Amino acid sequence: MSNFVHPCLLQLLPLLFFVLVLLFCASCQSASVDLNPEDKASLLLFRSWIQDPVHGLSTWFGSNCTDWTGLACQNHTGQVISINLRNVNLSGYIHPNLCNLLFLETLVLSENGFTGQIPLCFGRLQNLKTLDLSHNRFGGVVPDSLVTLRQLKELSLNGNHDLGGVVPWWVGNFSSNLEILDLGFNSFHGTIPESLFYCKSLKYLDLGNNYLSGDLHDFFQPLVFLNLSSNSLSGTLPCFSASIRSLGVLNLARNSIVGGIPTCIASLEELTHLNLSFNHLNYAISPRLVFSEKLLALDLSFNDLSGPLPTKIAETTEKSGLVLLDLSHNCFSGGIPLKITELKSLQALFLSHNLLTGEIPARIGNLTYLQVIDLSRNSLSGSIPLNIVGCFQLLALVLNNNNLSGQIQPELDALDSLKVLDISNNGISGEIPLTLAGCKSLEIVDFSSNNLSGNLNDAITKWSNLRYLSLARNKFSGSLPSWLFTFEEIQMMDFSGNKFSGFVPDGNFNISLEFNNGDVRRLPAEPFLAIRNIEIKISVLVVDNSELSFNYHLSSTAGIDLSDNLLRGEIPHGLFGLQGLEYLNLSYNFLDGQVPSLEKMERLRALDLSHNSLSGQIPGNISRLKELVLLNFSYNSLSGFVPQKEGYGRFPGAFAGNPDLCVESPRVKCDSGSLPTVPGKSFEETEGPISVWIFCISAFVSFYFCVVTLFCSTRARSYLLQTKV
């Protein structure tokens, strides 16, 4: 039964085979479209003018359009309708013959290195629907010839920093189809053309990062995306009522917008991202300003907003709600409302640089998705709530510059994903718990300016990714452990202002990559100030509905600070062999012995060995240390003669309090014969023939004085005369 075939089917088999052959031939024909000869000639001329170092256009030969990278052609005519050469590493000028491709609908040349002005002849491409020249090096102004492109839906010129002038007056009414206009990250100035406020087809508008000015007006079309950030726009916030059911992203950051935040902004039903940071917004936030659960990111930082924090800022559900809330750098006062702990989807909470008081809510541990908490620079009191371990995904906990007290709870080891832990400038006491060894992901640890005490335990050795460690200005004691310099990624360690005693550990100096090699970054040349005031800049970006991108920037030098302790003994020579070290402070200790050679410390910018008991001579010529801007050897027991040519003259006051040390200057000449020699030079090299003559004369005078003395003595003269007889 299964092997039976109906006779009718057998009769249809040849017909089916014929149809399959026809379909196969048709597919072959569609896969092989002959490129229009005139278009081919124009494309080859276009290629002849550009540089193609990675041979991205190496397939541009032959006549089959489908073989040419980035091209699409009409099936019947072979005329080019689409060119997409995004990010092919091309550069150079655009040949005018590219404008002969009159049937072109899509032209994408973004993320390359094209230069020159945007060709005037682009206005001839009447069928163009997409023109994307973003992220190149085009300059000049936008040519008015583009006004003829009536079919254009997308015009993207983003990221051509030398492209500027005023935004063309016609840009809002030249095409009734225009949906996307992206002129961000350019050099446009002047006001926003009025035509843009009424362009009915426009949905996506990006004019961010330019030099636009004038008052901010409302838009009268249903926008989906609006970015006017990083300009000089002024005025007050409009309601964007025409976009009440469409606007998803509104970014007005870094302008000069004033006044309060109108409650009508919360009526934008589709709003997912609102950024009003770095403006001059003031007054309190109205209790009626409550956003929908669709809002993912709210950034009101760096304004002059005051009053209490809003008890409810957005609706939330189990599956949706705010991911990022940034109210930092304002003038909010009062306590942290408990309603914030109900934002169950929250991943980043920034409330720093305000006037907040009271305790950190214990229920903050309910925010199990939290990755970043920054409550720094307020007046918060109480202890760090133990429930914070409920935020088990936490990457950064920043609580510095508050009035917190209590101890570091051993249970904090549950935060095993933590990378940044900053509790500096508080009143926290006790010892570092051994259990913190469980926080193996730590990279930035700042416990400075507290009341912590005890010895350094081995928990710190488990932080193998450590880049910055500061225990400065506490009450730690005991000797410095042998593992002190064993962190491969360490960039800065500050143990100053404690009661550490004993010797500076000798050894393991070759482990740190930063201390030994340094990196290629060039630090600013301004005076080397505020070395201890390191600020960690944390930034987050909401990628989609559920994901947040976390990043931090550590603005710090490669340095070691062991100052203001009770250390004694000699300075290990290996410490002065760290070629990448930029900052070294060993001042206010009881170190003795000689100062090691500085010749290997090519990146050194600041060295402070003052207020110790160092003796001997100053190291030789330091003129080759071009980066050195701060030097202090004062108040030691150094001696010798420092010639002016040694390069120390650019550090006045660096040798104060060393009475046996003479530093030569245009006003001060040292008597080299009466001072110890410069280290590394023999007596013969330093004294010369003049010193030899001085020695001979003094010997002759001494001999003459002895003879005269003998003959003036009666007893001596009698004895000599008697002997002679």
Side-chain angles (χ1 to χ4, degrees), residues 172 176 178 198-203 220-222:
S176 59
L178 189 66
Y198 298 93
C199 182
K200 293 183 179 180
S201 60
L202 194 62
K203 292 181 172 59
F220 297 94
Q221 70 272 65

Side-chain angles (χ1 to χ4, degrees), residues 207 275 382 493 543 606 657 671:
L207 298 175
N275 191 346
M493 55 172 54
V543 180
D671 183 3

Side-chain angles (χ1 to χ4, degrees), residues 5-198:
V5 179
H6 197 279
C8 294
L9 290 176
L10 291 173
Q11 293 176 2
L12 289 173
L13 282 176
L15 181 61
L16 291 172
F17 179 76
F18 179 71
V19 171
L20 289 172
V21 170
L22 287 177
L23 291 172
F24 178 75
C25 293
S27 64
C28 290
Q29 187 176 3
S30 63
S32 177
V33 179
D34 284 338
L35 187 60
N36 180 280
E38 294 179 358
D39 287 4
K40 177 181 178 180
S42 297
L43 289 169
L44 291 176
L45 282 172
F46 164 73
R47 187 179 69 173
S48 68
W49 271 31
I50 60 179
Q51 287 77 50
D52 181 16
V54 298
H55 307 292
L57 305 183
S58 60
T59 61
W60 281 27
F61 64 89
S63 298
N64 187 358
C65 174
T66 56
D67 290 341
W68 287 44
T69 299
L71 256 60
C73 302
Q74 287 182 346
N75 288 338
H76 301 296
T77 64
Q79 288 167 320
V80 179
I81 58 173
S82 174
I83 299 176
N84 189 340
L85 298 176
R86 177 181 175 272
N87 194 21
V88 192
N89 200 21
L90 304 175
S91 60
Y93 295 91
I94 294 178
H95 196 286
N97 273 42
L98 190 66
C99 302
N100 291 338
L101 306 176
L102 299 180
F103 289 86
L104 199 62
E105 297 178 3
T106 300
L107 178 58
V108 178
L109 302 176
S110 59
E111 298 182 46
N112 284 290
F114 289 107
T115 53
Q117 295 189 342
I118 298 173
L120 293 170
C121 66
F122 276 0
R124 292 165 50 194
L125 302 173
Q126 297 290 303
N127 293 305
L128 210 57
K129 296 178 181 178
T130 298
L131 178 59
D132 187 353
L133 306 177
S134 59
H135 301 286
N136 280 284
R137 295 199 291 269
F138 290 110
V141 298
V142 178
D144 288 339
S145 61
L146 298 188
V147 75
T148 62
L149 303 179
R150 303 291 183 185
Q151 305 298 318
L152 205 63
K153 289 186 176 181
E154 176 182 352
L155 176 59
S156 182
L157 305 176
N158 186 298
N160 290 281
H161 302 296
D162 294 328
L163 185 66
V166 296
V167 180
W169 60 270
W170 46 261
V171 75
N173 56 17
F174 76 106
S175 170
S176 59
N177 299 309
L178 189 66
E179 296 181 358
I180 299 174
L181 178 62
D182 188 352
L183 305 180
F185 286 94
N186 289 304
S187 299
F188 292 105
H189 58 82
T191 59
I192 300 173
E194 190 175 356
S195 60
L196 278 179
F197 297 104
Y198 298 93

